């Protein structure tokens, strides 16, 4: 009888070990983050519809996405609003685990950081006053004053086409600079402008999507420091699941009015 009990207990222990070994990323103890049980996410919180404040609370596509990714990993999402100038640099200083802030993948960033699977494909737009007839497409911004955030992909695009770039700290500042005549245009996200326009119905600003023959849709993805390969892989699995169960499309329709989660 005693031998049977010992054998039964041994079998149970073995089963527990097997089940533990087969556990998925939903076990937060298996996910490597700066704070155990928490996914710390950097974002601006001033860039609707990606992340913004409403009634004092953070909302937006990337806020909901961050929560969904954290949930898939068995973690709690913690958001750290940070100005763009120090946002990506915060990855190397271990201020947060990942940045979700409409960050486009490009060769320069891929040399210094690593990315997960893209979650949206954002189209760039030229934003200007409605009576502006001098700028018909992106090639016309050469030598003209254009607002763009320093270090952003928008800055790189404007620079590529020879613009006289005037640094801008955020989207609203760029719109104000056009209104005030300090710049002729801005290069920015089409989705951001359409969201901004909802709250500025009387604006005399317009947008023009930049042709893909000049600028392809930007691949927007979570970005990490180079040491976070394990976390990157875990998030890739979470994003894959969110694509498969329809969550990605649902969030895109909610915040952008169309599905921009695919090429």
């Amino acid at each position: 009888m005693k031998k049977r009990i010992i054998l039964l207990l041994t079998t149970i222990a073995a089963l527990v070990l097997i089940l533990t070994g087969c556990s998925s990323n939903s076990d937060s103890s298996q996910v490597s983050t700066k704070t155990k049980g928490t996914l710390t996410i950097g974002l601006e919180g001033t860039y609707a519809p990606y992340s913004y404040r409403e009634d004092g609370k953070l909302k937006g596509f990337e806020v909901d996405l961050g929560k969904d990714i954290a949930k898939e990993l068995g973690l709690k999402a913690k958001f750290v609003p940070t100005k763009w100038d120090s946002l990506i640099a915060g990855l190397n200083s271990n201020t947060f685990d990942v940045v979700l802030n409409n960050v486009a993948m490009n060769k320069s960033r891929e040399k210094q950081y690593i990315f997960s699977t893209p979650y949206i494909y954002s189209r760039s737009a030229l934003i200007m006053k409605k009576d502006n007839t001098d700028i018909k497409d992106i090639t016309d911004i050469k030598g003209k004053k254009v607002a763009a955030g320093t270090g952003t992909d928008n800055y790189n695009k404007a620079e590529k086409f020879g613009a006289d770039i005037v640094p801008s700290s955020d989207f609203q500042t760029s719109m104000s600079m056009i209104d005030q005549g300090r710049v002729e245009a801005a290069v920015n996200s089409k989705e951001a402008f359409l969201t901004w326009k909802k709250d500025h119905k009387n604006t005399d600003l317009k947008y023009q999507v930049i042709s893909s023959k000049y600028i392809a849709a930007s691949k927007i993805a979570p970005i990490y420091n180079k040491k976070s390969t394990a976390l990157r892989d875990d998030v890739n699995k979470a994003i894959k699941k969110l694509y498969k169960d329809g969550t990605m499309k649902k969030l895109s329709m909610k915040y952008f009015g169309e599905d921009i989660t695919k090429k």
Side-chain angles (χ1 to χ4, degrees):
M1 184 69 177
K2 197 171 185 180
K3 289 182 178 180
R4 289 181 181 178
I5 293 173
I6 293 173
L7 180 61
L8 179 62
L9 290 173
T10 302
T11 302
I12 292 171
L15 285 170
V16 169
L17 286 172
I18 291 171
L19 290 172
T20 302
C22 294
S23 65
S24 67
N25 285 336
S26 61
D27 180 0
S28 62
S29 65
Q30 303 298 312
V31 183
S32 177
T33 55
K34 68 185 293 292
T35 303
K36 187 176 180 180
T38 301
L39 182 66
T40 305
I41 302 168
L43 42 63
E44 285 180 283
T46 58
Y47 194 34
Y50 304 98
S51 65
Y52 57 97
R53 290 191 182 277
E54 189 175 282
D55 299 326
K57 295 182 179 180
L58 274 175
K59 293 187 176 182
F61 176 85
E62 287 166 330
V63 175
D64 283 1
L65 177 61
K67 291 177 181 177
D68 286 335
I69 288 173
K71 184 178 179 181
E72 290 295 330
L73 300 181
L75 303 172
K76 179 181 178 181
K78 177 184 177 182
F79 297 98
V80 182
T82 306
K83 289 185 177 181
W84 169 258
D85 291 348
S86 55
L87 188 61
I88 297 180
L91 292 168
N92 291 333
S93 62
N94 205 33
T95 304
F96 17 73
D97 300 306
V98 60
V99 167
L100 298 178
N101 195 76
N102 194 42
V103 180
M105 299 174 70
N106 61 40
K107 291 180 181 179
S108 176
R109 288 176 183 151
E110 287 177 297
K111 289 179 181 178
Q112 302 177 65
Y113 304 93
I114 55 176
F115 288 85
S116 269
T117 303
Y119 50 82
I120 57 172
Y121 294 83
S122 178
R123 295 299 304 275
S124 297
L126 276 170
I127 304 165
M128 65 198 95
K129 287 197 173 185
K130 290 178 180 178
D131 60 2
N132 188 325
T133 58
D134 293 334
I135 300 176
K136 296 179 176 61
D137 62 42
I138 189 71
T139 61
D140 293 327
I141 68 172
K142 185 176 182 179
K144 292 183 170 61
K145 289 187 176 181
V146 173
T150 303
T152 66
D153 214 43
N154 295 320
Y155 187 104
N156 297 336
K157 291 167 183 174
E159 184 177 51
K160 178 182 177 181
F161 287 92
D164 177 8
I165 302 172
V166 180
S168 172
S169 59
D170 54 43
F171 188 83
Q172 178 57 57
T173 299
S174 294
M175 299 304 100
S176 296
M177 289 167 77
I178 300 171
D179 265 332
Q180 296 162 7
R182 293 166 58 194
V183 298
E184 285 198 51
V187 175
N188 216 295
S189 156
K190 177 194 80 171
E191 298 81 29
F193 178 75
L194 291 176
T195 301
W196 177 86
K197 191 177 180 182
K198 289 178 183 177
D199 295 325
H200 300 80
K201 292 182 173 59
N202 296 322
T203 182
D204 66 344
L205 302 188
K206 64 179 181 179
Y207 81 97
Q208 176 190 100
V209 174
I210 299 172
S211 171
S212 58
K213 72 178 180 180
Y214 297 121
I215 298 177
S218 297
K219 295 185 286 186
I220 308 301
I223 182 173
Y224 319 78
N225 68 44
K226 283 199 167 184
K227 296 178 181 178
S228 300
T229 53
L231 177 60
R232 184 269 315 274
D233 293 345
D234 287 335
V235 173
N236 277 345
K237 292 174 185 177
I239 290 176
K240 184 177 180 179
K241 186 174 179 182
L242 294 173
Y243 264 111
K244 189 175 181 179
D245 68 13
T247 299
M248 296 297 294
K249 181 178 180 179
K250 182 179 178 181
L251 288 178
S252 183
M253 295 301 295
K254 176 181 177 181
Y255 287 103
F256 305 120
E258 59 183 310
D259 185 6
I260 61 171
T261 64
K262 297 177 182 178
K263 289 183 181 179

